[in-house]
Amino acid sequence: MSIAVVALGKIGLPLAVQFADAGHEVVGVDVNERTVATVNAGREPFPGEAHLGEKLAELVPAGRLRATTEYADAIPWADAVVVVVPLFVDDETWEPDFAWMEAATRSLAEHLSPGTLVSYETTLPVGTTRNRWKPLIEEVSGLVEGRDFHLVFSPERVLTGRVFADLRRYPKLVGGLSAEGAARAVEFYGQVLSFDERADLPRPNGVWDLGSAEAAEMAKLAETTFRDVNIALANQYAVYADKVGIDIQLVIDACNSQPYSHIHNPGIAVGGHCIPVYPRLYLSTDPDASVVRTARSFNAGMPAYVVGRAAEVMGSLEGLNVVVLGASYRGRVKETAFSGVFPTVAELRERGAKVSVHDPMFTDEELASFGWEPYHLGEPVDVAIVQADHPEYQALTPADLPGIRLLYDGRRVTDPDLWRGTPRLVIGARSDAPALGA
């Protein structure tokens, strides 16, 4: 097959590589000229994705994969078009911003040929495929969905850093606007993906037709929103545990020792492109979902809670040197999308602290580009707040943070034995140490 992949980001590029590695001819479309040039040179434009670099170095010289900035160079000859363009959510209104996706959809529709399968993999609010993309593609292309082309939704279900493994591990969900379109999608993904055997699934691992685009859209929103709600519940428990002097981790481990409980871990923030965003997409079409809304708001408030606890112990943060350890939204991932570092830094500045940021994955210049003062281990500091669970922080000691008077580990990644004699707090285990006072 000839396949076009629209947007060569951290999901789109590995997908393009997967399709090419399965023996198909793939052209990736991206508006970023540097990304296109890097891919065409057979190099990875971003670090951290397992096996991506080696596969690019093999597939690009072999002529199986190339990139372009021109839709006219990729879409007209494609048997299938897979769209992985980012969808943004307004931080204030929580409403989805379709601008980038709409521009990409118009561009691909201008060059769409009859007989093409179009699959959206970007997570969408329920009803978007049918009610927004179908009429837009028909209007621009002059083609009729279900007769001249087929439109489906098939959500990506992978984590950056392990995309190729996740593509094999998890069933590929598809939902069409017609039975024929769904059948085309099942056939397509069956040819470009292979799956691990899994005895724990209700049916064989592979491509699963969910019966409609709406069901596939909701499946992705539901599985991710579940995690946000679960984490919010864990955070609620942890805040209560702080009040009554219980170690919440002991409680969670006890609860999860039987198969009917699966409480997630509490933490300072929920970040990334998915978990903080998709509940808002769900709420955009189900505004009465009060449980989802409350959970999202509670998780969003955790950075302020942690900073408030630090201020409570110190008496005040005014004028203190405070370092936030970790700019990434999670450990081992060089990505700041919706990272807790932003609200944590903002809250610290609001309380008058002198704030710096450390992250082993970012250079000083990269940290400074966000408006932060870069911190280097060994420099004097009063308070440190662990925001990302980078493995480097597991071995952190007071000697790495000279003069430290309080460590607040928002991820429970540091070793408590290394911090004996120095005040150390974690979420959900209130310390018996007296307030230090400023």
Side-chain angles (χ1 to χ4, degrees), residues 237-255:
Y237 290 157
V239 170
Y240 177 69
D242 276 343
K243 296 176 182 177
V244 299
I246 295 171
D247 187 340
I248 198 62
Q249 195 61 55
L250 296 177
V251 174
I252 291 174
D253 291 345
C255 293

Side-chain angles (χ1 to χ4, degrees), residues 109-176:
E110 289 173 357
H111 302 285
L112 193 64
S113 298
T116 305
L117 172 71
V118 180
S119 176
Y120 282 80
E121 294 214 7
T122 305
T123 304
L124 299 171
V126 174
T128 303
T129 305
R130 188 183 306 272
N131 300 322
R132 179 180 287 267
W133 303 141
K134 174 181 180 290
L136 180 58
I137 295 174
E138 288 182 332
E139 174 192 346
V140 174
S141 69
L143 304 176
V144 177
E145 198 282 326
R147 184 191 72 189
D148 303 319
F149 72 98
H150 290 290
L151 178 60
V152 300
F153 179 73
S154 180
E156 53 85 5
R157 307 177 74 203
V158 297
L159 281 180
T160 55
R162 64 182 207 197
V163 171
F164 298 111
D166 285 352
L167 287 172
R168 295 191 304 271
R169 175 78 175 155
Y170 306 132
K172 185 59 173 162
L173 311 181
V174 299

Side-chain angles (χ1 to χ4, degrees), residues 311-385:
E312 177 185 330
V313 172
M314 298 302 297
S316 170
L317 298 176
E318 183 75 34
L320 298 187
N321 291 315
V322 182
V323 59
V324 179
L325 298 173
S328 299
Y329 74 83
R330 67 178 170 93
R332 301 183 182 180
V333 174
K334 188 178 180 180
E335 176 61 71
T336 60
F338 291 92
S339 172
V341 68
F342 298 106
T344 302
V345 168
E347 185 69 20
L348 286 167
R349 287 174 172 169
E350 182 70 21
R351 290 176 178 267
K354 301 173 183 176
V355 187
S356 56
V357 176
H358 175 272
D359 194 298
M361 302 192 75
F362 290 79
T363 66
D364 283 1
E365 292 73 21
E366 288 170 331
L367 293 174
S369 70
F370 290 102
W372 304 322
E373 180 70 27
Y375 175 83
H376 310 96
L377 296 179
E379 295 176 346
V381 66
D382 296 302
V383 177
I385 297 176

Side-chain angles (χ1 to χ4, degrees), residues 178-250:
S178 67
E180 184 180 351
R184 281 281 305 276
V186 170
E187 179 184 12
F188 165 71
Y189 282 110
Q191 292 183 40
V192 298
L193 301 176
S194 57
F195 298 91
D196 297 336
E197 290 189 16
R198 286 182 55 184
D200 61 316
L201 298 176
R203 49 176 155 155
N205 197 3
V207 186
W208 292 6
D209 179 8
L210 295 194
S212 70
E214 288 79 8
E217 289 165 339
M218 184 166 181
K220 179 55 187 285
L221 294 175
E223 69 184 15
T224 312
T225 298
F226 162 80
R227 296 176 64 192
D228 197 41
V229 172
N230 194 315
I231 294 169
L233 184 62
N235 279 330
Q236 183 87 74
Y237 290 157
V239 170
Y240 177 69
D242 276 343
K243 296 176 182 177
V244 299
I246 295 171
D247 187 340
I248 198 62
Q249 195 61 55
L250 296 177

Side-chain angles (χ1 to χ4, degrees), residues 6 27 62 105 136 144 182 217 230 302 312 335 353 372 389 406 412 414:
V6 180
V27 181
T105 299
L136 180 58
V144 177
E217 289 165 339
N230 194 315
M302 288 304 293
E312 177 185 330
E335 176 61 71
W372 304 322
D389 54 341
L406 173 67
R412 290 204 183 206
T414 57

Side-chain angles (χ1 to χ4, degrees), residues 6 71 83-88 97-108 120-125 128 132-133 136 153:
V6 180
Y71 284 80
V83 184
V84 207
V85 176
L87 172 61
F88 299 99
D97 179 358
F98 291 102
W100 282 26
M101 290 198 76
E102 183 160 322
T105 299
R106 287 185 176 277
S107 295
L108 75 86
Y120 282 80
E121 294 214 7
T122 305
T123 304
L124 299 171
T128 303
R132 179 180 287 267
W133 303 141
L136 180 58
F153 179 73

